[in-house]
Amino acid sequence: MDENAANRLEIVLRSELSELGRLAAGVEDFIARNHLPPDLAFRFTLCLDELVTNIVSHGHGGAGGHGIRVRLETDGLELRAEVEDDADAFDPFAEAPSPDLGGDLESRRVGGLGIFLVGKMMDRASHRREGGRNLTLLAKRIG
């Protein structure tokens, strides 16, 4: 067994919203197993939920038959997640609409708030396209 296996997790999700519960359970187990602060489980679950929901709802148009690979890794100083999918090229940090943060809730334009929150909750959030796949990276310092 790889001695660093406890520091890594890889989950392959079906492109279905019903997989979000399995993702959340995997993140929580990984955080507990590595004795990381519980607030990281909340942050990463929320951010990964947003990214995966967008991939399923927009990137795949609700169509099944696609896999979404989520990797978590820690070196004790930082927790990193990478989300990999085969949807059309889309950089959520550059292409998602800016959220409407003004006015009352009923009159606000819909869209962009989730990705905005991902950017605020993480120390680093980036995207690249490689080999016909979207790769989205999230990172947060521990402590």
Side-chain angles (χ1 to χ4, degrees), residues 73-95:
E73 182 177 50
T74 185
D75 60 6
L77 301 174
E78 182 178 68
L79 177 59
R80 293 174 296 281
E82 183 179 68
V83 179
E84 178 182 343
D85 68 82
D86 65 352
D88 291 338
F90 183 77
D91 180 346
F93 306 111
E95 299 177 55

Side-chain angles (χ1 to χ4, degrees), residues 55-132:
I55 293 165
V56 172
S57 300
H58 304 296
H60 293 137
H66 298 271
I68 301 167
R69 186 176 312 272
V70 178
R71 296 178 191 95
L72 289 174
E73 182 177 50
T74 185
D75 60 6
L77 301 174
E78 182 178 68
L79 177 59
R80 293 174 296 281
E82 183 179 68
V83 179
E84 178 182 343
D85 68 82
D86 65 352
D88 291 338
F90 183 77
D91 180 346
F93 306 111
E95 299 177 55
S98 296
D100 180 359
L101 300 175
D104 58 56
L105 209 51
E106 292 81 28
S107 64
R108 289 185 188 178
R109 182 184 76 256
V110 175
L113 187 57
I115 293 300
F116 173 79
L117 290 174
V118 169
K120 291 294 185 189
M121 295 185 85
M122 294 289 126
D123 294 323
R124 290 192 331 266
S126 63
H127 175 84
R128 71 183 190 279
R129 183 83 174 167
E130 188 175 288

